[in-house]
Amino acid sequence: MAGNTFGQAFRITTFGESHGGAVGVVIDGVTPGLEISESEIQKEMDRRKPGQSSVTTPRQEEDKISIMAGIFAGKATGTPLFIVLYNKDARPEAYDSIKNLFRPGHADITYHEKYGIRDYRGSGRASGRETAARVAAGTVARKMLEQKGVKVLAYTLEAAGYKCKTFDENEIENNLVRACDPEAAALMTKRIEELAEIGDSCGGIIECRISGVKSGLGEPVFDKLDADIGKAMLSLGAVKGIEFGKGFDCSSMLGSEHNDWMDKNGFMTNNAGGILGGISTGQEIVFRIAVKPTSSISVPQKTVNIKGEETEIVTKGRHDPCICPRIVPVVEAMTYIVLADHYKRQAAMLG
Amino acid sequence: MAGNTFGQAFRITTFGESHGGAVGVVIDGVTPGLEISESEIQKEMDRRKPGQSSVTTPRQEEDKISIMAGIFAGKATGTPLFIVLYNKDARPEAYDSIKNLFRPGHADITYHEKYGIRDYRGSGRASGRETAARVAAGTVARKMLEQKGVKVLAYTLEAAGYKCKTFDENEIENNLVRACDPEAAALMTKRIEELAEIGDSCGGIIECRISGVKSGLGEPVFDKLDADIGKAMLSLGAVKGIEFGKGFDCSSMLGSEHNDWMDKNGFMTNNAGGILGGISTGQEIVFRIAVKPTSSISVPQKTVNIKGEETEIVTKGRHDPCICPRIVPVVEAMTYIVLADHYKRQAAMLG
Amino acid sequence: MAGNTFGQAFRITTFGESHGGAVGVVIDGVTPGLEISESEIQKEMDRRKPGQSSVTTPRQEEDKISIMAGIFAGKATGTPLFIVLYNKDARPEAYDSIKNLFRPGHADITYHEKYGIRDYRGSGRASGRETAARVAAGTVARKMLEQKGVKVLAYTLEAAGYKCKTFDENEIENNLVRACDPEAAALMTKRIEELAEIGDSCGGIIECRISGVKSGLGEPVFDKLDADIGKAMLSLGAVKGIEFGKGFDCSSMLGSEHNDWMDKNGFMTNNAGGILGGISTGQEIVFRIAVKPTSSISVPQKTVNIKGEETEIVTKGRHDPCICPRIVPVVEAMTYIVLADHYKRQAAMLG
Amino acid sequence: MAGNTFGQAFRITTFGESHGGAVGVVIDGVTPGLEISESEIQKEMDRRKPGQSSVTTPRQEEDKISIMAGIFAGKATGTPLFIVLYNKDARPEAYDSIKNLFRPGHADITYHEKYGIRDYRGSGRASGRETAARVAAGTVARKMLEQKGVKVLAYTLEAAGYKCKTFDENEIENNLVRACDPEAAALMTKRIEELAEIGDSCGGIIECRISGVKSGLGEPVFDKLDADIGKAMLSLGAVKGIEFGKGFDCSSMLGSEHNDWMDKNGFMTNNAGGILGGISTGQEIVFRIAVKPTSSISVPQKTVNIKGEETEIVTKGRHDPCICPRIVPVVEAMTYIVLADHYKRQAAMLG
């Protein structure tokens, strides 16, 4: 009911505020016998962690994970896997100046109105730091799915007003913005650095391609595979939209153009994005998400305080001028989590 | 696990194939004492039913509902409300010609691969007829929410290549496509009629505006209000994308442009679409969905049969050349269902 | 949340009042391809239905079921199976005299206090008629499990003050009380007929033995197999207790007596009742439930009306003097449902 | 699905093995604003912890808890509360001698058969240590319910063959076995000390009385209040049975004896144990559970090893000769958790 659990057969429950004692995740439904090590998870954590480059926040956090349950002699036992990250460098006093203000674009005001009480230190539970737990869990799901030949690949398709024109998978980890086109990446990077300089931020579009998913995954009618991926993505604070295959462009297409025909080699096109009637076709699954510009900016903004009085706010924190490169591993993680859940649900259906 | 249940505190479970005995819904969590009548629900059913006009399928189905449990002397008792629609004019033999073919754009092939068995009569469970049960349940949710001042309004924003340029709520039910702009509606209608003539179809965009929702609804971190609305919409077979507020356009905006400032009168803009951090702000909630062109067309198409042999298919059924006008009440229904669930979840949180 | 759904991977949602339009069940998670017919289900329904003999209520209800969804050409399709029983002979006016009274032992007063509104016709949702839907669903689960070699057998062990001293499976369906000892059955029957004569009722103990369950079923720590069976049984209105294996007698045993030793042929005893740590051992699973005397009696009783005024009540209905024989098929049904769920959950865990 | 989550509106997810890094619990659905401190929780932990007296295991564990999320300035924020206990004195090497043996009465063999892999150190996840997390969560539920006037009181009613003949609430914490009758307590204690001396163990019966619960709690038909309490109790490893009110004795009563009559002052008796039709009546709720003799004994026992070869086992650990006194706070904790969940579910129903 309270929204901190995701999935059914592969189920994660997360907790933690950005400046509390720790963030972490309980993962229920890990296949027993799965080999998993802290270093494998740490590698993915490092892709998400702050302080990576000039286009991310300069904050330095280790994001060091520990597996504290559910594992024995390097293998998952089938009992809940528990992974924790302690908040080592929390500096709650840095937030004293904003404790009675509602930062524009943030969940400050909505948490205040929902709960009547708010942990104002670094956005509390609404902080992006919460996604660290998702990445940890996603890496476990990834290990399970790699054995089935599934591969999820996310990357920046657009950012700071520039759009990738080529696609080279090998380039993605070679540039600071995790874009699939090195030329666009250079333009994006330059523009984001400029925005960082003036304390502003920008948004972008992340594309995700999933290969190796067998046909038949997804549960009609409400838990369609695209519905569950959509929920997973929209549960990320910065995401404002998602589309599959041709997505919004399908609104101006004809049925005769959009329908994917089949011949003896399978589907001839993939306008649907690999999902029909909520069930995977066995083709590549393709979706894109809209990422809003980071809400934390240091440009002066109008807002109100907790009493409703008008004021101006200038946040001084060291924030991400564009969250795209850091959201890429989170998108991959949540996708792996949805897929692990649906693989197990399919097994239950047949079991 | 098997995907036919939606919601937690207000929970619907649906069943039924398009040419089986019946479709229906069990609604658990109806507030006891709620006055509800079959005629109120029937009125909404009639907005979704086929055979309404030249831009919908000419099939004539009554879609007559019966409430068979959970009600006593005109009031909900708090026990499950059960609503059923019998399939009176089912003509399964009409589908003999396609029983071994996979229609492009349909879930024929994915159901076949998922279950190893398929009810090929009129798409079976994957038929749009399934949404009749959602509309029935949505009307019950609507009754509950109207008492709280909530109003959901969906309408066609784009279709057949035309886009509404004005917004007049009163026009929506005055034109065949349920568009908010009468001039665009006329153009859409004409084009859809032409497409119907040649056996083709088109897509569109539906916009939905929700007013009267109190601030504080939505459950961090996974069951954000936008995440749950997103899942609800993407669980509709024809929907390929969703965006909130500025949506995909936010990807090319700056933080200083996108952040909604506040003054003593509240929010000065609504780029976020009424949701911050997954929790309602109290503003109007705005989202748009991409609707694909109807898959059922009578243009000849390439496909394969159940043995994988290539063939051509020409479906002769009487289908909707554009599903937009009929999906509008379904979008409203699912939105009401999500909101009813979250109102009750908020009550539980405080209870 | 509202309690009308049971199970996860094999999940049933029931609805219906005793004198509303219908009772029924949506079954989600039926293995696709399962052959199932109305007549097979009807056979089990007939074991539960009223009017069977001198020790059950003389009311005549057909309890005729219809499968209206989820089936195609005699096989389950994997979509929700929907089974309905219409309430043909409902005579709500028969209950006018008690509509403002709270019958002792009944849920009249608690429904009134919970919901503030009550369908007083024949106990409404609290009627034993609700279990008809469980038996229908249980028969589907049974079909699935018979293929795995599982067999559930329930029978009356004690009733009306008499206890079975022998066990003969073949006798169970040969006597009116479904007892496993024909001599005890004769004594029970005579005493129950006497009680019926004077308008009183009696309770009993049902024992259930499950054979053929593989080892490894049950989910630590909360969804232990015995915990889920226990919940299933205690969700039956007349059940006031449950015990596994030696049950309450274990409280006066020593560890050295109670522990089941193992040798190369397996377990040497079965004091635990076939479950260790909530997981099946592969032995016979054994439990017993306490069934209270039927609350509906025609002896004059003290009670209050809806205004809290004292009065005397004499109910005239034709009720079961002992519910034991009719609860036997319900116990079997709920057991099959729990097992079907756990078989599928085990498949998900490994999937 | 995997069974480590309990409850809906007040929901706990636990993790941890007895000799892994930690055990803990994520609590979702804590009412925001609730004041809660580590010391309050610690106090309850100390009632459950080992090493309390001559009738419990002499192992010394601190069971020190830390709240690491969901709290701010001493108050719950509405986000998940996370409580952890580190396993400080784990000595896994002590279990080397039994790693290939299945201890009688333990879940060793069933975990092995379920998962194909087993953390053999101190029973792993099947250890009673898992209940520490339940007690921590239960204390939070207790804080919420004390504000509503609810009080749960559990105590030893029978143990080691002795039965309490008087009831004095104030005596319970004054004797080592937490019995309600000081004379019986003395006899129980003496006998348990004797059994400890010879390496054997004994069982008992715990009774639980709940006062102050408002009428109307419990959700028909599956989530009846007694069904959910029953599941909670049967999810404890040592519990083999549960009964409400007159319990198993009702099987030999007449309806005219068992029905609780009402007069203007309310119910005249409480044979039902405070629950009718699964819904609380507002009376005291009374149930009893059967606790098996501790499986860990040092008497030589026959068993098999992992290869199925016969052997004799003599476990040397320092175990509880009778778990009754230590299970009392666990019973109270689980009861508070069920009630907190149902209070919130009732709020949702009306919300």
Side-chain angles (χ1 to χ4, degrees):
Chain A
M1 287 279 295
N4 295 282
T5 296
F6 186 84
Q8 298 193 19
F10 182 82
R11 173 183 280 181
I12 66 171
T13 300
T14 71
F15 65 85
E17 284 74 39
S18 60
H19 289 72
V23 300
V25 59
V26 182
I27 314 172
D28 213 1
V30 180
T31 309
L34 185 79
E35 294 185 28
I36 187 85
S37 69
E38 292 184 345
S39 62
E40 286 170 293
I41 297 171
Q42 194 60 54
K43 199 174 146 196
E44 280 304 299
M45 302 309 295
D46 293 347
R47 292 179 71 212
R48 194 212 71 96
K49 78 172 179 185
Q52 297 175 43
S53 78
S54 62
V55 298
T56 62
T57 167
R59 268 182 295 123
Q60 295 292 335
E61 282 172 26
E62 253 193 299
D63 278 3
K64 186 162 167 9
I65 64 100
S66 302
I67 307 179
M68 300 200 70
I71 199 153
F72 183 58
K75 291 182 180 172
T77 58
T79 61
L81 206 68
F82 173 61
I83 305 176
V84 68
L85 293 86
Y86 297 101
N87 292 330
K88 296 223 169 131
D89 301 317
R91 291 182 299 173
E93 67 285 359
Y95 293 88
D96 277 354
S97 65
I98 59 153
K99 75 178 182 184
N100 291 320
L101 297 182
F102 299 132
R103 290 169 299 164
H106 280 272
D108 297 351
I109 191 167
T110 51
Y111 269 65
H112 176 78
E113 303 221 340
K114 180 175 189 68
Y115 297 113
I117 180 177
R118 178 169 70 92
D119 180 349
Y120 54 77
R121 303 165 302 172
S123 298
R125 182 76 177 137
S127 164
R129 179 154 178 77
E130 163 263 320
T131 61
R134 305 188 190 213
V135 172
T139 311
V140 176
R142 176 181 174 159
K143 282 282 291 189
M144 289 164 54
L145 290 168
E146 280 175 349
Q147 298 176 354
K148 297 177 192 290
V150 175
K151 183 180 166 189
V152 177
L153 181 74
Y155 46 87
T156 300
L157 185 68
E158 287 187 44
Y162 297 99
K163 183 168 181 167
C164 290
K165 287 170 183 157
T166 60
F167 173 78
D168 184 344
E169 181 181 333
N170 297 318
E171 286 295 333
I172 297 168
E173 292 293 323
N174 279 341
N175 63 74
L176 301 183
V177 288
R178 291 203 168 95
C180 57
D181 168 356
E183 288 186 32
L187 294 166
M188 292 171 186
T189 303
K190 185 162 174 296
R191 177 67 178 138
I192 295 170
E193 288 169 347
E194 288 167 9
L195 289 168
E197 199 68 31
I198 59 171
D200 211 335
S201 67
C202 67
I205 291 176
I206 304 294
E207 188 166 75
C208 184
R209 299 186 185 195
I210 315 167
S211 59
V213 173
K214 71 173 179 184
S215 61
L217 284 204
E219 297 293 331
V221 294
F222 297 114
D223 298 350
K224 289 184 163 85
L225 190 56
D226 36 357
D228 276 358
I229 291 174
K231 173 165 175 163
M233 295 304 136
L234 290 162
S235 78
L236 299 172
V239 176
K240 299 301 286 183
I242 182 168
E243 60 177 15
F244 289 82
K246 288 289 175 192
F248 275 86
D249 285 350
C250 79
S251 63
S252 53
M253 292 172 79
L254 300 183
S256 54
E257 293 171 306
H258 189 267
N259 281 351
D260 295 308
W261 291 3
M262 288 162 268
D263 66 14
K264 62 185 176 186
N265 299 313
F267 286 95
M268 299 164 70
T269 51
N270 189 9
N271 294 323
I275 298 175
L276 276 176
I279 304 172
S280 63
T281 62
Q283 296 169 276
E284 188 176 59
I285 295 173
V286 184
F287 67 85
R288 282 168 300 282
I289 58 170
V291 178
K292 74 172 182 177
T294 318
S295 300
S296 294
I297 54 177
S298 51
V299 174
Q301 299 179 92
K302 290 192 182 181
T303 191
V304 295
N305 64 20
I306 209 168
K307 296 178 187 163
E309 298 161 343
E310 299 187 353
T311 183
E312 193 181 78
I313 191 167
V314 184
T315 49
K316 293 235 185 63
R318 299 158 299 165
H319 301 288
D320 292 270
C322 179
I323 203 65
C324 286
R326 288 183 63 206
I327 212 173
V328 160
V330 183
V331 167
E332 291 176 353
M334 289 305 294
T335 305
Y336 277 118
I337 289 166
V338 171
L339 292 172
D341 191 40
H342 276 278
Y343 264 92
K344 285 182 174 288
R345 292 171 74 169
Q346 178 75 350
M349 189 265 280
L350 299 171
Chain B
M1 289 279 295
N4 295 282
T5 295
F6 185 84
Q8 298 194 19
F10 183 82
R11 173 182 280 182
I12 66 171
T13 299
T14 71
F15 65 85
E17 283 74 38
S18 60
H19 289 71
V23 299
V25 60
V26 182
I27 314 173
D28 213 0
V30 180
T31 308
L34 184 79
E35 293 185 28
I36 187 85
S37 69
E38 292 184 345
S39 61
E40 286 170 294
I41 297 172
Q42 194 60 53
K43 199 175 145 195
E44 279 304 299
M45 301 310 294
D46 293 347
R47 290 180 71 212
R48 195 213 69 98
K49 78 172 179 185
Q52 297 176 43
S53 78
S54 61
V55 298
T56 63
T57 168
R59 268 181 295 122
Q60 295 292 337
E61 282 172 26
E62 254 193 299
D63 277 3
K64 187 162 166 7
I65 64 99
S66 304
I67 306 179
M68 300 201 71
I71 199 153
F72 183 57
K75 290 183 182 172
T77 58
T79 61
L81 205 69
F82 173 60
I83 306 177
V84 67
L85 294 86
Y86 297 101
N87 292 330
K88 295 221 170 134
D89 301 316
R91 291 182 301 173
E93 66 286 358
Y95 293 90
D96 277 355
S97 65
I98 59 153
K99 75 177 182 183
N100 291 319
L101 296 183
F102 299 132
R103 291 168 299 164
H106 280 273
D108 296 352
I109 191 168
T110 51
Y111 269 66
H112 175 79
E113 303 220 341
K114 181 176 188 66
Y115 297 113
I117 181 177
R118 178 169 70 92
D119 180 348
Y120 54 77
R121 303 166 301 172
S123 299
R125 182 75 177 138
S127 165
R129 180 156 177 76
E130 162 264 320
T131 61
R134 306 188 190 214
V135 172
T139 310
V140 176
R142 177 181 173 158
K143 282 283 289 189
M144 289 165 52
L145 291 168
E146 279 174 350
Q147 298 176 354
K148 297 178 192 290
V150 175
K151 183 182 166 189
V152 177
L153 182 74
Y155 45 87
T156 299
L157 186 68
E158 286 187 44
Y162 297 99
K163 183 167 181 167
C164 291
K165 287 170 183 156
T166 61
F167 173 78
D168 184 344
E169 180 181 334
N170 298 318
E171 287 294 333
I172 297 168
E173 293 293 322
N174 279 341
N175 63 74
L176 301 184
V177 287
R178 292 202 167 95
C180 57
D181 168 356
E183 288 186 32
L187 294 166
M188 292 171 186
T189 303
K190 186 162 175 295
R191 177 67 179 138
I192 295 171
E193 288 169 348
E194 287 168 8
L195 288 169
E197 199 68 31
I198 59 171
D200 211 335
S201 67
C202 66
I205 291 176
I206 305 294
E207 187 166 74
C208 184
R209 299 185 186 196
I210 316 166
S211 58
V213 173
K214 71 173 179 185
S215 62
L217 284 204
E219 297 294 332
V221 295
F222 297 114
D223 298 351
K224 289 183 163 84
L225 190 56
D226 36 357
D228 275 359
I229 291 174
K231 172 165 175 163
M233 294 304 136
L234 290 162
S235 78
L236 300 172
V239 175
K240 299 301 287 182
I242 182 168
E243 60 177 14
F244 289 83
K246 287 289 174 192
F248 275 86
D249 285 350
C250 79
S251 63
S252 52
M253 292 173 79
L254 299 183
S256 54
E257 293 171 306
H258 189 266
N259 281 351
D260 295 308
W261 291 3
M262 289 163 269
D263 66 13
K264 63 185 175 185
N265 299 313
F267 287 95
M268 299 165 70
T269 50
N270 189 8
N271 294 323
I275 297 175
L276 276 176
I279 304 173
S280 62
T281 62
Q283 296 168 277
E284 188 177 59
I285 296 172
V286 183
F287 66 86
R288 282 168 300 283
I289 58 170
V291 177
K292 74 172 183 176
T294 318
S295 300
S296 294
I297 54 177
S298 51
V299 174
Q301 299 179 91
K302 291 192 182 180
T303 190
V304 294
N305 64 20
I306 209 168
K307 295 178 187 162
E309 297 162 342
E310 299 188 352
T311 181
E312 193 181 79
I313 191 167
V314 183
T315 50
K316 294 237 183 63
R318 300 158 300 165
H319 300 288
D320 292 270
C322 179
I323 202 66
C324 285
R326 289 184 63 207
I327 212 173
V328 161
V330 183
V331 167
E332 291 176 354
M334 288 305 294
T335 305
Y336 278 118
I337 289 166
V338 172
L339 292 171
D341 191 40
H342 276 278
Y343 264 93
K344 284 181 174 289
R345 291 172 73 169
Q346 177 76 350
M349 189 264 280
L350 299 170
Chain C
M1 289 276 297
N4 295 282
T5 296
F6 185 84
Q8 298 194 19
F10 184 83
R11 172 182 281 181
I12 67 171
T13 300
T14 71
F15 65 86
E17 282 75 39
S18 60
H19 289 71
V23 299
V25 59
V26 182
I27 314 172
D28 214 0
V30 181
T31 308
L34 185 79
E35 294 185 28
I36 188 85
S37 69
E38 291 183 346
S39 62
E40 286 171 293
I41 298 172
Q42 193 62 53
K43 200 176 145 195
E44 279 304 300
M45 302 311 294
D46 293 347
R47 291 180 71 212
R48 193 213 71 96
K49 77 172 181 186
Q52 296 176 42
S53 78
S54 62
V55 296
T56 63
T57 168
R59 269 181 294 123
Q60 294 293 335
E61 281 171 28
E62 254 192 298
D63 277 3
K64 186 163 168 11
I65 64 99
S66 303
I67 307 178
M68 300 202 69
I71 199 155
F72 183 58
K75 290 183 181 171
T77 59
T79 61
L81 206 67
F82 173 61
I83 306 177
V84 67
L85 293 86
Y86 298 101
N87 292 331
K88 295 224 170 128
D89 301 317
R91 291 182 300 172
E93 67 285 357
Y95 293 89
D96 277 355
S97 65
I98 59 153
K99 74 178 183 183
N100 292 320
L101 296 182
F102 299 132
R103 292 168 298 164
H106 281 272
D108 297 352
I109 190 168
T110 50
Y111 269 65
H112 175 78
E113 302 221 341
K114 181 176 188 67
Y115 298 114
I117 180 176
R118 178 170 69 93
D119 180 349
Y120 54 77
R121 303 166 301 173
S123 299
R125 182 75 177 137
S127 164
R129 180 154 177 75
E130 163 263 320
T131 62
R134 304 188 191 215
V135 172
T139 311
V140 176
R142 176 181 174 158
K143 282 283 292 189
M144 288 165 53
L145 290 168
E146 280 175 350
Q147 298 176 354
K148 298 177 192 290
V150 175
K151 183 181 167 189
V152 177
L153 182 74
Y155 46 86
T156 300
L157 185 69
E158 288 188 42
Y162 297 99
K163 183 167 180 168
C164 290
K165 287 171 183 157
T166 60
F167 173 77
D168 183 344
E169 180 181 336
N170 298 318
E171 287 295 333
I172 297 167
E173 293 292 323
N174 279 343
N175 63 74
L176 301 184
V177 287
R178 293 203 165 93
C180 56
D181 168 356
E183 289 185 30
L187 294 166
M188 292 171 186
T189 303
K190 185 161 174 298
R191 177 68 178 137
I192 294 170
E193 287 168 349
E194 287 168 9
L195 289 169
E197 199 68 34
I198 59 170
D200 211 335
S201 67
C202 65
I205 291 176
I206 305 294
E207 186 165 74
C208 185
R209 299 186 185 195
I210 316 167
S211 58
V213 173
K214 71 174 178 184
S215 62
L217 284 204
E219 298 292 332
V221 293
F222 297 114
D223 298 351
K224 289 184 163 83
L225 190 56
D226 36 357
D228 276 359
I229 290 174
K231 173 165 176 162
M233 294 305 136
L234 290 163
S235 77
L236 300 172
V239 175
K240 298 302 286 182
I242 182 166
E243 60 177 13
F244 289 83
K246 288 289 175 192
F248 275 85
D249 284 350
C250 79
S251 63
S252 53
M253 292 172 79
L254 299 183
S256 55
E257 293 171 306
H258 189 267
N259 280 350
D260 295 307
W261 291 2
M262 289 163 268
D263 66 12
K264 63 185 175 185
N265 299 314
F267 287 94
M268 298 165 70
T269 51
N270 189 10
N271 294 324
I275 298 176
L276 277 177
I279 305 173
S280 62
T281 62
Q283 296 169 278
E284 189 177 59
I285 296 171
V286 184
F287 66 87
R288 282 168 301 282
I289 58 171
V291 176
K292 73 172 183 176
T294 317
S295 301
S296 294
I297 55 177
S298 51
V299 174
Q301 299 179 90
K302 290 192 183 180
T303 191
V304 294
N305 64 18
I306 209 168
K307 295 179 189 162
E309 297 162 343
E310 299 188 352
T311 183
E312 193 182 80
I313 191 167
V314 183
T315 50
K316 295 238 183 61
R318 300 158 301 165
H319 301 287
D320 292 88
C322 179
I323 202 65
C324 286
R326 288 184 63 207
I327 212 173
V328 161
V330 184
V331 168
E332 291 176 354
M334 287 307 293
T335 305
Y336 277 119
I337 289 166
V338 172
L339 292 171
D341 192 39
H342 275 278
Y343 264 94
K344 284 182 173 288
R345 291 173 74 169
Q346 177 76 349
M349 189 266 280
L350 299 170
Chain D
M1 289 278 295
N4 296 282
T5 296
F6 186 83
Q8 298 194 20
F10 184 82
R11 173 182 282 181
I12 67 171
T13 300
T14 71
F15 65 86
E17 282 75 39
S18 60
H19 288 72
V23 300
V25 59
V26 183
I27 315 171
D28 213 1
V30 181
T31 308
L34 185 79
E35 293 185 29
I36 188 85
S37 69
E38 291 184 345
S39 62
E40 286 170 294
I41 298 172
Q42 193 61 53
K43 199 175 146 195
E44 280 304 300
M45 301 311 294
D46 293 346
R47 291 180 70 213
R48 194 212 71 95
K49 77 171 181 186
Q52 296 175 45
S53 77
S54 63
V55 297
T56 62
T57 168
R59 269 181 294 122
Q60 295 293 336
E61 283 172 26
E62 254 192 298
D63 277 4
K64 184 161 169 11
I65 64 100
S66 304
I67 307 179
M68 300 202 70
I71 199 153
F72 183 57
K75 290 182 180 171
T77 58
T79 61
L81 207 67
F82 173 61
I83 305 177
V84 67
L85 294 86
Y86 296 101
N87 292 331
K88 294 222 172 132
D89 301 318
R91 291 183 300 173
E93 67 285 359
Y95 293 89
D96 277 354
S97 66
I98 59 153
K99 75 179 182 181
N100 291 320
L101 297 182
F102 299 131
R103 292 169 298 164
H106 280 272
D108 296 351
I109 190 168
T110 51
Y111 269 65
H112 175 78
E113 302 220 342
K114 180 175 189 67
Y115 297 113
I117 180 176
R118 178 169 69 93
D119 181 348
Y120 54 76
R121 302 166 302 173
S123 298
R125 183 74 176 138
S127 164
R129 180 154 177 77
E130 163 264 320
T131 62
R134 306 188 191 215
V135 172
T139 311
V140 177
R142 177 180 175 160
K143 282 282 291 188
M144 289 165 53
L145 290 167
E146 280 174 349
Q147 299 176 354
K148 298 177 192 288
V150 175
K151 183 181 167 189
V152 177
L153 182 74
Y155 46 87
T156 299
L157 186 68
E158 287 187 43
Y162 297 99
K163 183 167 181 167
C164 290
K165 287 171 182 157
T166 60
F167 173 78
D168 184 343
E169 180 182 335
N170 298 318
E171 286 294 334
I172 297 167
E173 293 293 322
N174 279 342
N175 62 74
L176 301 184
V177 288
R178 293 203 165 93
C180 57
D181 168 355
E183 289 186 31
L187 294 165
M188 292 171 186
T189 303
K190 184 161 176 295
R191 178 67 179 137
I192 294 170
E193 288 168 349
E194 288 167 9
L195 288 168
E197 200 67 33
I198 59 170
D200 211 336
S201 67
C202 67
I205 292 176
I206 305 294
E207 187 165 73
C208 185
R209 299 185 185 197
I210 315 167
S211 59
V213 173
K214 70 175 179 184
S215 62
L217 283 205
E219 298 293 331
V221 294
F222 297 114
D223 299 350
K224 289 184 163 84
L225 189 57
D226 36 356
D228 275 359
I229 291 174
K231 173 165 176 162
M233 294 305 136
L234 290 163
S235 77
L236 299 172
V239 176
K240 298 303 286 183
I242 183 168
E243 61 177 13
F244 289 82
K246 287 289 175 193
F248 275 85
D249 284 350
C250 80
S251 63
S252 53
M253 292 172 79
L254 300 183
S256 55
E257 294 171 305
H258 189 267
N259 281 350
D260 296 307
W261 292 2
M262 288 163 269
D263 67 12
K264 63 184 175 185
N265 299 313
F267 287 95
M268 299 165 69
T269 51
N270 189 9
N271 294 323
I275 298 176
L276 276 177
I279 304 173
S280 62
T281 62
Q283 297 168 276
E284 189 176 58
I285 296 171
V286 184
F287 66 87
R288 282 168 300 283
I289 58 170
V291 177
K292 72 172 185 178
T294 317
S295 301
S296 294
I297 54 177
S298 52
V299 174
Q301 298 179 91
K302 290 191 183 180
T303 190
V304 294
N305 64 19
I306 209 168
K307 295 179 188 161
E309 298 162 342
E310 299 188 352
T311 182
E312 193 182 78
I313 191 167
V314 183
T315 51
K316 294 237 183 62
R318 299 158 300 164
H319 300 287
D320 292 271
C322 179
I323 202 65
C324 286
R326 289 184 63 207
I327 212 173
V328 160
V330 184
V331 167
E332 291 176 354
M334 287 308 293
T335 305
Y336 278 119
I337 289 166
V338 172
L339 292 171
D341 191 39
H342 276 278
Y343 265 92
K344 285 181 173 287
R345 291 172 74 169
Q346 178 76 348
M349 189 265 279
L350 299 171

